[in-house]
Amino acid sequence: MMIKWLGHSAFEITTSTDKSIFIDPWIENPLSPVSLDDISKADLVLVTHDHFDHIGNTVDICKKTSAMVVTNPETSNKLSQSGVENVIGINIGGSVEPIDGVKVTMVQAFHSSESGCPAGFLLHIDGKIIYHAGDTGIFSSMELLGDLYDINVALIPIGSVFTMDSYQAAKSLRLLKPDVAIPMHYGTFSALVKDAKEFLDLAKRESPDVKVVVLKPGEEWGL
Ligand SMILES: [Zn+2]
């Protein structure tokens, strides 16, 4: 399975059975290494919350590929009205298997959303667990998530202003206890933290057992 960072909070995960999963696909973000024209296949799209930088190009991708979308019920209604055909609305604590071999669990995030409730996702794929935190501040129930789920990879925001900063993100790794952390939601807007250097240093100090993998936009990492 490969995890490719597309800039901001957008990732493409390719499973061992060649399923293509996009999370928060704002493909037109300033860091994005790909354009919409480059995307011809998508099986599943996950949207953590209804802000332009997360819902992004979901409608364009789904119209092109007929991908299934999983998001909160209110945002899923909005997407249906925009012409997205295959949408599943779920809520915090719930799990579904929208495509064969991929289970998705919605968990809390502390943020806002133009429709529905903001969330994070746990993806259960090929016996591994990937956590995408969405946009959130740090919260103590991350420790519970770390106890409930043996998280292999945590995709976590570090950019501050709208989400956790480097310090909170480094501390969150003590709660989540992933094997690997990949930072996201930085460097996109001038207001956000510019790079992952401080996070890398703080994570080493706060959570030395967690391996931090800093991807360049377009770079991928396999597990
Ligand atoms: Zn955001």
Side-chain angles (χ1 to χ4, degrees):
M1 171 163 54
M2 299 302 290
I3 300 175
K4 186 194 277 186
W5 189 41
L6 303 177
H8 208 58
S9 294
F11 287 86
E12 181 181 9
I13 296 172
T14 308
T15 70
S16 60
T17 54
D18 207 31
K19 297 268 194 267
S20 183
I21 303 165
F22 287 86
I23 311 175
D24 286 353
W26 184 29
I27 302 303
E28 290 169 329
N29 80 74
L31 299 180
S32 177
V34 293
S35 72
L36 265 177
D37 288 342
D38 298 326
I39 297 172
S40 53
K41 173 180 155 61
D43 297 289
L44 177 63
V45 177
L46 305 178
V47 178
T48 60
H49 64 289
D50 182 8
H51 281 161
F52 79 95
D53 57 323
H54 295 264
I55 205 162
N57 301 101
T58 297
V59 173
D60 307 303
I61 292 171
C62 291
K63 283 187 175 168
K64 264 172 91 161
T65 64
S66 300
M68 177 68 78
V69 180
V70 176
T71 186
N72 71 66
E74 294 77 14
T75 303
S76 70
N77 287 342
K78 205 168 147 179
L79 287 170
S80 297
Q81 283 159 17
S82 303
V84 176
E85 284 174 10
N86 305 312
V87 193
I88 302 176
I90 66 171
N91 224 319
I92 289 166
S95 297
V96 285
E97 191 173 331
I99 56 173
D100 274 355
V102 178
K103 186 174 137 189
V104 178
T105 303
M106 184 176 271
V107 296
Q108 68 264 50
F110 286 83
H111 193 64
S112 61
S113 179
E114 285 179 34
S115 58
C117 177
F121 287 110
L122 289 151
L123 283 80
H124 314 253
I125 308 168
D126 296 347
K128 306 271 199 246
I129 299 183
I130 299 167
Y131 171 56
H132 188 295
D135 276 2
T136 189
I138 193 170
F139 53 93
S140 57
S141 303
M142 282 178 168
E143 188 171 18
L144 180 60
L145 296 179
D147 286 344
L148 289 170
Y149 303 102
D150 196 0
I151 298 170
N152 297 98
V153 184
L155 313 174
I156 52 165
I158 66 162
S160 192
V161 186
F162 305 111
T163 69
M164 295 197 280
D165 59 10
S166 301
Y167 177 62
Q168 285 190 16
K171 283 279 188 191
S172 78
L173 301 182
R174 295 175 77 128
L175 307 175
L176 294 162
K177 301 187 287 284
D179 300 331
V180 170
I182 298 176
M184 63 177 181
H185 212 275
Y186 68 95
T188 336
F189 311 127
S190 56
L192 300 185
V193 166
K194 296 211 166 7
D195 57 52
K197 282 194 194 99
E198 188 189 16
F199 171 67
L200 205 52
D201 288 345
L202 292 171
K204 249 181 223 154
R205 190 183 79 194
E206 298 293 337
S207 313
D209 296 339
V210 179
K211 178 184 161 83
V212 174
V213 174
V214 179
L215 296 177
K216 293 188 185 74
E219 208 176 354
E220 54 187 1
W221 187 80
L223 77 163

Short mmCIF file of all heavy atoms in Angstrom, two decimals, residues 8 49 51 53-54 111 135 163 185, ligand 1:
data_model
loop_
_atom_site.label_atom_id
_atom_site.label_comp_id
_atom_site.label_asym_id
_atom_site.label_seq_id
_atom_site.Cartn_x
_atom_site.Cartn_y
_atom_site.Cartn_z
N HIS A 8 -1.23 20.08 1.26
CA HIS A 8 -2.29 20.41 2.22
C HIS A 8 -2.75 19.13 2.95
O HIS A 8 -1.91 18.41 3.48
CB HIS A 8 -3.43 21.14 1.52
CG HIS A 8 -4.17 22.06 2.45
ND1 HIS A 8 -3.56 23.07 3.13
CD2 HIS A 8 -5.49 22.12 2.80
CE1 HIS A 8 -4.46 23.70 3.88
NE2 HIS A 8 -5.64 23.14 3.70
N HIS A 49 -14.42 17.33 6.40
CA HIS A 49 -15.37 18.38 6.75
C HIS A 49 -15.58 19.32 5.58
O HIS A 49 -14.80 19.32 4.63
CB HIS A 49 -14.91 19.15 8.01
CG HIS A 49 -13.63 19.89 7.85
ND1 HIS A 49 -12.40 19.27 7.73
CD2 HIS A 49 -13.36 21.22 7.78
CE1 HIS A 49 -11.45 20.17 7.62
NE2 HIS A 49 -12.01 21.39 7.63
N HIS A 51 -15.10 22.41 4.33
CA HIS A 51 -14.39 23.66 4.08
C HIS A 51 -13.74 23.49 2.71
O HIS A 51 -13.35 22.37 2.34
CB HIS A 51 -13.31 23.93 5.14
CG HIS A 51 -13.85 24.50 6.42
ND1 HIS A 51 -13.16 24.47 7.61
CD2 HIS A 51 -15.03 25.11 6.69
CE1 HIS A 51 -13.89 25.04 8.57
NE2 HIS A 51 -15.02 25.43 8.03
N ASP A 53 -10.95 23.89 1.47
CA ASP A 53 -9.62 23.28 1.34
C ASP A 53 -9.63 21.79 1.68
O ASP A 53 -8.59 21.14 1.67
CB ASP A 53 -8.58 24.03 2.20
CG ASP A 53 -8.94 24.12 3.68
OD1 ASP A 53 -10.13 24.28 4.01
OD2 ASP A 53 -8.01 24.04 4.51
N HIS A 54 -10.82 21.23 1.96
CA HIS A 54 -10.93 19.79 2.26
C HIS A 54 -11.91 19.09 1.32
O HIS A 54 -11.61 18.03 0.78
CB HIS A 54 -11.32 19.59 3.73
CG HIS A 54 -10.24 20.09 4.61
ND1 HIS A 54 -9.27 19.27 5.14
CD2 HIS A 54 -9.90 21.36 4.98
CE1 HIS A 54 -8.39 20.01 5.81
NE2 HIS A 54 -8.75 21.28 5.73
N HIS A 111 -13.09 21.29 15.41
CA HIS A 111 -12.91 22.26 14.34
C HIS A 111 -14.29 22.82 14.02
O HIS A 111 -15.19 22.78 14.88
CB HIS A 111 -12.27 21.52 13.14
CG HIS A 111 -11.75 22.40 12.08
ND1 HIS A 111 -10.70 23.27 12.27
CD2 HIS A 111 -12.09 22.55 10.76
CE1 HIS A 111 -10.45 23.90 11.13
NE2 HIS A 111 -11.29 23.49 10.20
N ASP A 135 -8.93 18.44 10.21
CA ASP A 135 -8.44 19.66 10.87
C ASP A 135 -8.87 19.57 12.32
O ASP A 135 -10.06 19.40 12.61
CB ASP A 135 -9.09 20.91 10.25
CG ASP A 135 -8.37 21.38 9.00
OD1 ASP A 135 -7.40 20.72 8.59
OD2 ASP A 135 -8.79 22.41 8.45
N THR A 163 -5.49 24.80 12.97
CA THR A 163 -5.34 23.44 13.51
C THR A 163 -4.23 23.41 14.56
O THR A 163 -3.65 24.43 14.89
CB THR A 163 -4.91 22.45 12.40
OG1 THR A 163 -3.56 22.77 12.03
CG2 THR A 163 -5.80 22.51 11.18
N HIS A 185 -1.15 19.89 6.20
CA HIS A 185 -1.81 21.17 6.48
C HIS A 185 -0.81 22.23 6.93
O HIS A 185 -1.01 22.93 7.91
CB HIS A 185 -2.93 20.99 7.53
CG HIS A 185 -4.11 21.92 7.36
ND1 HIS A 185 -4.13 23.19 7.86
CD2 HIS A 185 -5.29 21.76 6.73
CE1 HIS A 185 -5.30 23.76 7.56
NE2 HIS A 185 -6.02 22.92 6.85
ZN ZN B 1 -8.19 23.13 6.52
#
